[in-house]
DNA sequence: TTGAAAGCGCTAACAC
DNA sequence: GTGTTAGCGCTTTCAA
């Protein structure tokens, strides 16, 4: 099916060099005769030609392929990020290979190995843990851009949201409308992004002259189950809250479910804040504040850092992407 | 960095064949001496070895890579499907390349070309239109598994949900609890999966002895905007509905937004049905029936068909995957 | 302007 | 049990 350069050359009684030069648009530069050019072009027109990437990769030792490793893509933030990043990469001729770790630290290392074996030109990774991150930094002798989680202990290229500023802005805005305690349900403070959100919230409290560290309800899991447990214990100890913030969408899902289980419904007067925007937040009858991450800018920044690393630069920047508050008012 | 087989052979004063045989676990079979084996194994232990996929691909004319083309992965159904399929493929040593068309028919064709140039061993595609499908069938001389949409005019391998049965079951169940008109909001009947859902619904009406074709509200767009318009016009002509089904989640999102805009809230007594399950459906204060698609089975079936096609079989089956009703009751 | 040839790392066929 | 070698399709260097 796919004609090779050599085949074309043979068909036309030309050398591979000649054919290559016109195929790669260098015809003018090497002053190939117009007649030869058109003979080649016609042949390609008729029989087609598709470059064999494997051969090219073998020769040049680069695949024009990049890897992306995220926890999972059923999470809409990572899905959107993957989408945008794939688009951006393709725009520059790179194919993106998307893989999910499902928060399995061993599987994450396996994925890295698999992608390295396929000789990707670079890797975008959302590391699960500090240990994973350090492992990758040692293992991967290729351009690497870390995403979402700044575990520290590295000056590698990294892109993340401005979570602290986001937490601050979210809490500030909610405090303006909520007189009652503004609880903060945190799943998994081992994740730096979550901790930053918490710190932003605490900062906002401080600015408002409030000092209620006990408004923070912490748990180990950044999941619906984790969120359920948090809300459950909050209701146990304090009754149904009047206002709360969830540290992420999965936590919110669990928290809402707990509210429904415990109170039979989601009381409309509760003011709800959350990180990560989602159209289905509009399903809640409540006023909802959500902190949206800007995946377009993420993709742009991440690719730019990758490109520079591929070009040989020692990239050690951390790009912080601004978040945006979205408010849905109960009517 | 990555040692080549030849390098290892030279270091150890052996031939490439010997090294290859032990690396590929054929040492016993070819009765390589234990001593030679351990020399090789030790060397690999110390210096490592990573197979060069590009070279292998070039030689064998296969990449152990598969392509997946879906409309987008911010849609949670396609995201989950992509996730499951990636897992399944990796389990058999295949890397999956996930790409999104964003419903752009020309871009879809470009993606196919790009993946073919990278010499994928096979392609999973959710075609946007019949024309696209036919184009692919002509263009792609590789194993191909169509997903989600049976446009007809082909006996190619295909996996889809049992949408008609799903529509029937969903409507039946809702009719048991809803005396009032059960509206059906349909976005884009050009999509066969959507039409099947509609037909299932009509079948359920018929079985119940109801003949109200006018309960179907049709529009051109399977999107939130489309759903908004549908609900908007329904309220205009019939007032706020007591029960309705949305043909997909995006349509539901728009419909809910219209309800909120028009009535100031989402009236809790409305019974809501929808296709595609999502945890955030629990955010609605209403009773909600949702028809869940079984992505695990999809992935399993799709990969099985692909595997058989790769093995040279002329696969022309259509696999229909059962859907499952999920009910959330208002309390 | 065009041609010839080496070599990327692997596999497989064949030799001893 | 082990060794040699051709060739996959491309890029690049050197020649003519």
């Amino acid at each position: 099916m796919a004609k090779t350069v050599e085949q074309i050359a043979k068909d036309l009684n030309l050398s591979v060099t000649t054919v290559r030069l016109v195929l790669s648009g260098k015809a003018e530069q090497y002053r190939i005769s117009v007649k030869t050019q058109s003979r080649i072009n016609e042949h390609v027109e008729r029989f087609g030609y598709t470059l064999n990437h494997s051969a090219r990769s073998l020769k040049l030792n680069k695949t024009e392929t990049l890897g992306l490793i995220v926890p999972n893509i059923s999470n809409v933030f990572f899905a959107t990020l993957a989408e945008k990043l794939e688009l951006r990469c393709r725009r520059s001729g790179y194919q993106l290979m998307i893989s999910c770790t499902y928060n399995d630290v061993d599987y994450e290392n396996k994925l890295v190995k698999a992608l390295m074996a396929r000789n990707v030109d670079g890797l975008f990774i959302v590391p699960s843990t500090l240990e994973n991150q350090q492992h990758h930094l040692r293992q991967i002798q290729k351009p690497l851009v870390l995403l979402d989680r700044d575990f520290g202990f590295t000056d590698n290229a990294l892109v993340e949201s401005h979570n602290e500023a986001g937490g601050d802005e979210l809490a500030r805005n909610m405090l303006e409308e909520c007189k009652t305690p503004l609880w903060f349900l945190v799943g998994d403070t081992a994740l730096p992004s979550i901790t930053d959100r918490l710190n932003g919230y605490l900062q906002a409290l401080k600015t408002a002259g409030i000092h209620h560290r006990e408004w923070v309800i912490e748990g180990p899991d950044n999941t619906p189950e984790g969120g359920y447990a948090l809300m459950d214990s909050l209701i146990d100890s304090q009754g149904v809250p009047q206002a709360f913030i969830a540290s992420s969408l999965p936590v919110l899902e669990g928290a809402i479910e707990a509210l429904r289980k415990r109170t039979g419904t989601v009381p409309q007067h509760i003011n709800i804040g959350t990180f990560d925007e989602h159209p289905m937040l509009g399903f809640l009858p409540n006023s909802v504040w959500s902190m949206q991450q800007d995946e377009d800018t993420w993709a742009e920044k991440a690719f730019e850092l990758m490109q520079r690393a591929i070009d040989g630069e020692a990239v050690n920047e951390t790009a912080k992407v601004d978040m945006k508050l979205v408010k849905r008012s109960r009517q």
Side-chain angles (χ1 to χ4, degrees), chain A:
Chain A
M1 21 148 278
K3 288 265 183 187
T4 72
V5 172
E6 188 170 349
Q7 189 56 246
I8 298 178
K10 194 180 287 175
D11 287 1
L12 263 39
N13 268 316
L14 293 167
S15 83
V16 285
T17 311
T18 312
V19 177
R20 270 202 73 245
L21 288 176
V22 351
L23 282 183
S24 57
K26 303 230 179 76
E28 301 312 317
Q29 194 178 331
Y30 287 85
R31 318 198 314 154
I32 310 285
S33 72
V34 182
K35 192 173 164 196
T36 310
Q37 284 188 47
S38 57
R39 281 181 68 210
I40 294 174
N41 287 327
E42 268 171 36
H43 189 277
V44 170
E45 196 83 12
R46 267 172 59 85
F47 304 103
Y49 168 69
T50 22
L51 179 136
N52 183 320
H53 262 85
S54 304
R56 184 184 159 88
S57 298
L58 176 58
K59 179 67 187 175
L60 301 184
N61 192 30
K62 61 176 185 179
T63 52
E64 266 122 28
T65 300
L66 297 172
L68 169 65
I69 296 180
V70 293
N72 57 68
I73 52 172
S74 36
N75 176 318
V76 75
F77 168 65
F78 291 123
T80 309
L81 177 60
E83 227 180 67
K84 306 290 186 187
L85 205 49
E86 194 246 348
L87 262 180
R88 182 62 190 81
C89 290
R90 187 176 307 281
R91 191 146 67 76
S92 294
Y94 286 93
Q95 174 75 43
L96 186 66
M97 289 187 171
I98 304 164
S99 298
C100 307
T101 65
Y102 310 99
N103 297 304
D104 179 330
V105 292
D106 294 327
Y107 192 66
E108 178 171 328
N109 292 335
K110 279 215 190 93
L111 285 179
V112 169
K113 261 200 89 175
L115 288 173
M116 296 301 287
R118 286 184 181 261
N119 206 18
V120 293
D121 295 340
L123 224 39
F124 300 98
I125 306 190
V126 179
S128 291
T129 63
L130 173 59
E131 290 67 40
N132 275 91
Q133 174 192 287
Q134 299 304 74
H135 183 261
H136 303 331
L137 287 170
R138 261 181 277 112
Q139 200 79 10
I140 303 174
Q141 304 303 332
K142 291 256 175 81
L144 174 64
V145 175
L146 297 172
L147 299 177
D148 192 47
R149 296 168 185 180
D150 185 0
F151 285 104
F153 301 100
T154 170
D155 56 352
N156 198 88
L158 191 149
V159 181
E160 62 179 340
S161 277
H162 216 312
N163 285 298
E164 192 158 344
D168 183 52
E169 188 185 347
L170 176 57
R172 251 176 230 263
N173 270 274
M174 290 188 71
L175 284 171
E176 281 176 20
E177 285 194 39
C178 319
K179 299 278 173 245
T180 44
L182 175 60
W183 306 92
F184 195 95
L185 308 187
V186 197
D188 198 0
T189 46
L191 295 178
S193 48
I194 301 287
T195 312
D196 288 347
R197 291 169 181 187
L198 174 57
N199 287 335
Y201 159 85
L202 291 173
Q203 180 58 49
L205 288 199
K206 201 168 151 196
T207 308
I210 306 173
H211 298 278
H212 279 290
R213 175 77 211 201
E214 74 273 15
W215 289 357
V216 177
I217 318 286
E218 277 185 53
D221 296 314
N222 185 37
T223 59
E225 296 70 34
Y228 190 100
L230 292 174
M231 179 58 79
D232 207 39
S233 75
L234 175 58
I235 296 177
D236 276 344
S237 62
Q238 310 285 339
V240 174
Q242 303 300 300
F244 73 93
I245 295 176
S247 64
S248 72
L249 272 189
V251 168
L252 180 65
E253 282 170 24
I256 297 291
E257 207 194 325
L259 272 173
R260 284 190 71 162
K261 271 271 165 43
R262 295 291 296 264
T263 69
T265 171
V266 182
Q268 302 203 7
H269 63 272
I270 300 182
N271 288 325
I272 299 177
T274 186
F275 287 86
D276 292 338
E277 161 61 9
H278 194 290
M280 288 168 91
L281 285 172
F283 287 5
L284 285 168
N286 311 65
S287 287
V288 178
W289 289 252
S290 74
M291 257 300 154
Q292 183 171 32
Q293 308 200 62
D294 178 355
E295 297 92 353
D296 278 301
T297 306
W298 272 64
E300 207 52 57
K301 291 276 185 197
F303 186 80
E304 183 209 321
L305 294 179
M306 178 62 78
Q307 186 67 269
R308 283 165 48 196
I310 288 175
D311 292 344
E313 195 180 323
V315 187
N316 61 358
E317 284 172 42
T318 292
K320 290 217 183 195
V321 180
D322 283 336
M323 305 177 93
K324 195 177 132 208
L325 185 64
V326 175
K327 164 132 197 240
R328 291 174 173 83
S329 293
R330 179 161 68 93
Q331 286 156 336

